[in-house]
Amino acid sequence: MSAVDDKSKTGDETSAPSIAAPNFVNEIIEEDLRAGRRGGQVHTRFPPEPNGYLHIGHAKSICLNFGAATKFGGLCNLRFDDTNPTTEDPEYVASIQNDVRWLGFDWQDRLFYASDYFDKLYAYAEQLIESDKAYVDSQTQEQIAAERGDFYRPGQDSPFRNRPSAESLALFRRMRAGEFDDGAHVLRAKIDMRSGNLNLRDPVLYRIKRAHHYRSGDTWCIYPMYDYAHCISDALEGITHSVCTLEFEDHRPLYDWCLDQLPVPCHPQQIEFARLNLSYTVLSKRKLLQLVDDKLVDGWDDPRMPTLAGLRRRGYTPEAIRAFCERIGVSKRDGVVDVSLLEYILREDLNARAARVMAVLRPLRVVIENFPEGAIEWFDAQNHPEHPEQGSRKVPFSRVLYIEQDDFREEPPKKWFRLTRGAEVRLRYACLIRCNDIVKDPQTGEVTELRCTWDPQSRGGTASDGRKVKGTLHWVSAAHARDAEVRLYDRLFSQENPNDGDDFRRFINPASLSVLRECKVEPHLGTSQPGDLFQFERLGYFCADASEHQASKLIFNRTIELRDSWAKIDGKP
RNA sequence: UCGGGGAUCGUCCAACGGCAGGACUCCAGAUUCUGGCUCUGGAUAUCUAGGUUCGAAUCCUAGUCCCCGAACCA
């Protein structure tokens, strides 16, 4: 895991999240404020369970919750919903805090854990029993399940449902004291076994689970269930608007029921929105975990992962992710956002900020025959043509250069602007060259070298006689170039909806990563630091790998290609 | 067959009884020392059927389709 180290900010840019765009959640909050409800306060929370890394779907929720708080002058808490010790891990707790901070949000001193409320939750549970709103059921899990009925048949009351509350209380205390085996008893709410909403058919509130909790250790052997713990945690923190995803919609009556039975400080309003789905991507914790466990990717921060850690290592900026979350909006319709929107916003952000450099990924040797051996010309190259204030740098030019193999074709197709025998092109920021001859490997017939001449009158890139060339190529001087490894990342899945079939893993794109080990980059890149972002001119946006890049071994990740309209033309018949 | 939710360009989001709009994608063109960026133009939508109304994406009625729900997961 790479530390939070945001190299992506340029000096004059602020990382302050922009004000949340209007959406139906904000409209509800605004209306509450207008009507003077909830004491005129806005207090939200982001409540992850620490059982996996955060992904871009969580970013939507984070932006919504923190964004609403910011927009209305309120607060947003970070709370770990850690009520299931068997799946949770401190590694996740650390990564989640790291990622939320990196995204640009601040919970200040309001970092909470549901596990810190275990005492209070337990005391409330005793109250529930005393007021005959909950009872201890001593049936097996199977019996309870069978009794619950199904969608079409009502449930049946448990034989223990009318157990005297004193008896339930005594049993519950013994559950807590560790006198029973796992599963021997559960605490259930006494609601309505015939409800059409299965969540109200006497849901389990507490279960016995002898598992070591990463925070509370072995203090507890009973743990509260989500429906019971979440609403009370919200109330204890004074949450006004409890925003969650659509699948909790029919849990809302239970959320409200619990709070109605107890003398909690307040009764937050649960509001549900549609979770993010992205084309060519999986966003379920289960599947992401499987990718990691099965080593189909290189960990949670593999640059192909939609995790915030993966996106960060890939070269995404927090600003781009936030802009994306704003742009997709918030609604109750479940849909699939086209990943090309994410890519568009990424390019938009990177185009504005990334310094331009030249790098040759698949080198083809070029000899400038009329350029003296050992001589060097230094040309001035702009760091960012759209931001001249970012200055320029000197790039060395000499007799032997490298250009991209893709930029030469012996038999050029129509509309070919690049190099071919007899053609003239510009080397970016340098000069015009013409290709006179080609050298081939006598065995393979592969083109191994281009023999060219330069026009000394075109120094800087424009011909003295005003003649135009259509093609401009990037290049590096062979003698001055640094070697680099470049990792070309592409979409992890080749199927638009990888969740479609029986096994999402068969849609993994076999070309999602290809490693190029013989790349040549301009000397300037020798001083680049892990995390630095660049545009390799004419190729795409790249970042120095956050964990493996070093001065002695340059490693760049391709964040995203530049749009390539030539590929379209070239691809046509 | 039960409960909850949702249906607007290919995709996402707007329009809150008064000209269906924006963004992405796609197509065409201009510009360009990045076949990038930028700019211009174009294509494409109100689930269906009735009703209310001067006027309906919006209100009413009846359908249709899609999503979620039967963990001692969250």
Side-chain angles (χ1 to χ4, degrees):
Chain A
M1 257 315 297
S2 54
V4 168
D5 194 2
D6 188 0
K7 308 274 179 158
S8 58
K9 294 185 192 76
T10 57
D12 56 350
E13 246 156 329
T14 164
S15 73
S18 54
I19 291 304
N23 61 57
F24 88 95
V25 174
N26 287 340
E27 278 172 19
I28 291 171
I29 295 174
E30 209 160 7
E31 178 54 34
D32 284 350
L33 253 22
R34 196 174 8 249
R37 286 188 284 264
R38 311 201 167 276
Q41 300 298 307
V42 176
H43 201 146
T44 56
R45 102 267 92 116
F46 174 62
E49 184 190 14
N51 66 348
Y53 276 60
L54 259 25
H55 56 66
I56 190 158
H58 294 108
K60 178 180 179 182
S61 174
I62 294 167
C63 291
L64 216 206
N65 278 295
F66 279 91
T70 303
K71 179 175 179 133
F72 298 107
L75 300 169
C76 182
N77 298 352
L78 175 61
R79 179 174 74 236
F80 288 98
D81 220 337
D82 53 356
T83 57
N84 184 0
T86 55
T87 58
E88 295 154 8
D89 192 289
E91 178 197 347
Y92 299 131
V93 173
S95 75
I96 288 168
Q97 294 185 56
N98 195 30
D99 289 345
V100 174
R101 222 164 356 226
W102 175 75
L103 239 202
F105 297 101
D106 184 6
W107 55 87
Q108 295 163 314
D109 58 347
R110 295 178 315 283
L111 172 63
F112 300 119
Y113 298 82
S115 54
D116 283 352
Y117 305 140
F118 282 170
D119 281 314
K120 288 177 179 164
L121 260 5
Y122 177 83
Y124 278 134
E126 288 205 348
Q127 288 187 39
L128 234 35
I129 297 169
E130 281 163 354
S131 58
D132 201 30
K133 297 293 185 183
Y135 62 97
V136 170
D137 195 335
S138 306
Q139 300 184 95
T140 64
Q141 190 167 349
E142 292 69 32
Q143 285 170 319
I144 290 174
E147 225 170 57
R148 185 153 27 230
D150 58 29
F151 293 152
Y152 317 112
R153 283 190 316 249
Q156 295 168 2
D157 286 359
S158 161
F160 297 98
R161 195 172 203 261
N162 291 316
R163 170 130 77 184
S165 56
E167 189 180 319
S168 281
L169 189 56
L171 248 16
F172 188 51
R173 287 177 176 163
R174 293 175 62 196
M175 283 166 65
R176 179 196 187 173
E179 296 187 24
F180 305 115
D181 288 341
D182 288 14
H185 307 276
V186 289
L187 182 70
R188 289 230 259 170
K190 189 182 285 192
I191 309 181
D192 178 7
M193 289 305 292
R194 297 187 341 249
S195 172
N197 182 346
L198 294 258
N199 295 120
L200 297 182
R201 317 245 263 228
D202 289 10
V204 171
L205 265 25
Y206 266 91
R207 75 284 209 185
I208 304 172
K209 194 186 268 255
R210 276 185 183 68
H212 183 84
H213 189 283
Y214 75 97
R215 293 197 93 232
S216 62
D218 298 311
T219 305
W220 296 86
C221 64
I222 59 171
Y223 292 94
M225 300 289 291
Y226 163 84
D227 286 300
Y228 177 72
H230 195 86
C231 55
I232 296 175
S233 301
D234 280 348
L236 292 174
E237 293 177 17
I239 299 304
T240 56
H241 303 268
S242 178
V243 180
C244 63
T245 43
L246 251 27
E247 69 270 24
F248 292 103
E249 217 152 10
D250 51 14
H251 290 239
R252 187 173 358 116
L254 179 52
Y255 184 102
D256 290 331
W257 182 91
C258 288
L259 297 183
D260 284 342
Q261 313 310 315
L262 265 3
V264 288
C266 68
H267 189 140
Q269 176 184 5
Q270 177 176 306
I271 305 169
E272 310 85 9
F273 72 99
R275 64 164 0 110
L276 172 68
N277 295 300
L278 252 193
S279 61
Y280 298 98
T281 310
V282 299
L283 288 182
S284 98
K285 278 192 183 178
R286 199 202 98 235
K287 288 173 181 166
L288 295 177
L289 179 63
Q290 199 176 352
L291 289 171
V292 173
D293 282 349
D294 295 357
K295 307 234 184 294
L296 270 9
V297 296
D298 187 23
W300 287 99
D301 70 339
D302 184 299
R304 293 165 294 182
M305 290 283 273
T307 51
L308 296 182
L311 295 169
R312 175 168 61 237
R313 191 162 175 193
R314 176 77 170 257
Y316 277 71
T317 62
E319 288 80 3
I321 294 171
R322 274 190 251 126
F324 172 72
C325 291
E326 295 258 311
R327 217 86 78 85
I328 56 176
V330 180
S331 76
K332 297 194 71 152
R333 278 194 254 180
D334 49 3
V336 184
V337 175
D338 196 330
V339 74
S340 63
L341 176 61
L342 211 212
E343 294 172 343
Y344 172 85
I345 291 172
L346 210 215
R347 288 192 183 100
E348 185 176 62
D349 183 57
L350 262 17
N351 176 54
R353 74 203 314 162
R356 267 99 244 236
V357 292
M358 291 196 286
V360 175
L361 268 30
R362 296 174 179 88
L364 172 60
R365 191 179 148 90
V366 171
V367 177
I368 309 297
E369 294 179 304
N370 60 341
F371 195 90
E373 211 131 0
I376 302 174
E377 292 260 348
W378 292 87
F379 291 112
D380 205 42
Q382 287 180 271
N383 292 328
H384 195 131
E386 290 166 35
H387 297 293
E389 72 280 5
Q390 289 186 21
S392 61
R393 64 193 186 281
K394 296 286 185 190
V395 291
F397 181 93
S398 61
R399 181 177 162 88
V400 181
L401 313 170
Y402 292 114
I403 65 166
E404 209 69 60
Q405 287 172 19
D406 280 354
D407 284 335
F408 176 83
R409 290 259 256 266
E410 193 174 0
E411 283 166 35
K414 269 188 156 154
K415 296 192 185 170
W416 180 257
F417 300 162
R418 283 119 96 147
L419 208 52
T420 185
R421 200 201 305 262
E424 187 174 45
V425 298
R426 172 167 37 241
L427 294 182
R428 178 133 208 183
Y429 295 125
C431 60
L432 269 29
I433 63 165
R434 183 179 299 280
C435 176
N436 306 311
D437 210 352
I438 61 183
V439 179
K440 292 184 180 176
D441 182 310
Q443 305 294 319
T444 64
E446 181 195 2
V447 177
T448 55
E449 183 179 294
L450 268 23
R451 308 296 293 191
C452 300
T453 48
W454 76 308
D455 172 6
Q457 302 305 305
S458 68
R459 261 182 263 250
T462 34
S464 55
D465 61 3
R467 72 182 186 282
K468 305 279 187 202
V469 295
K470 280 197 209 154
T472 298
L473 310 186
H474 58 278
W475 56 277
V476 294
S477 164
H480 303 86
R482 293 285 316 268
D483 293 325
E485 174 176 316
V486 173
R487 299 170 179 172
L488 301 178
Y489 292 102
D490 201 352
R491 293 173 181 173
L492 222 206
F493 296 94
S494 46
Q495 176 93 0
E496 183 166 348
N497 182 3
N499 305 297
D500 237 5
D502 44 325
D503 185 359
F504 72 103
R505 291 173 300 184
R506 55 192 186 91
F507 300 125
I508 289 181
N509 175 9
S512 62
L513 168 61
S514 54
V515 181
L516 268 24
R517 298 176 205 282
E518 297 180 322
C519 307
K520 300 287 185 180
V521 303
E522 67 173 82
H524 176 66
L525 281 170
T527 59
S528 58
Q529 300 298 309
D532 283 354
L533 305 171
F534 300 96
Q535 185 196 96
F536 288 1
E537 293 221 30
R538 301 209 308 135
L539 296 174
Y541 298 96
F542 293 74
C543 67
D545 187 77
S547 36
E548 295 174 41
H549 176 91
Q550 340 170 358
S552 57
K553 178 155 204 238
L554 307 180
I555 299 179
F556 297 96
N557 300 327
R558 183 173 69 194
T559 308
I560 184 82
E561 295 155 283
L562 251 27
R563 274 239 295 265
D564 185 0
S565 56
W566 164 248
K568 269 180 209 164
I569 300 168
D570 194 36
K572 284 177 183 169

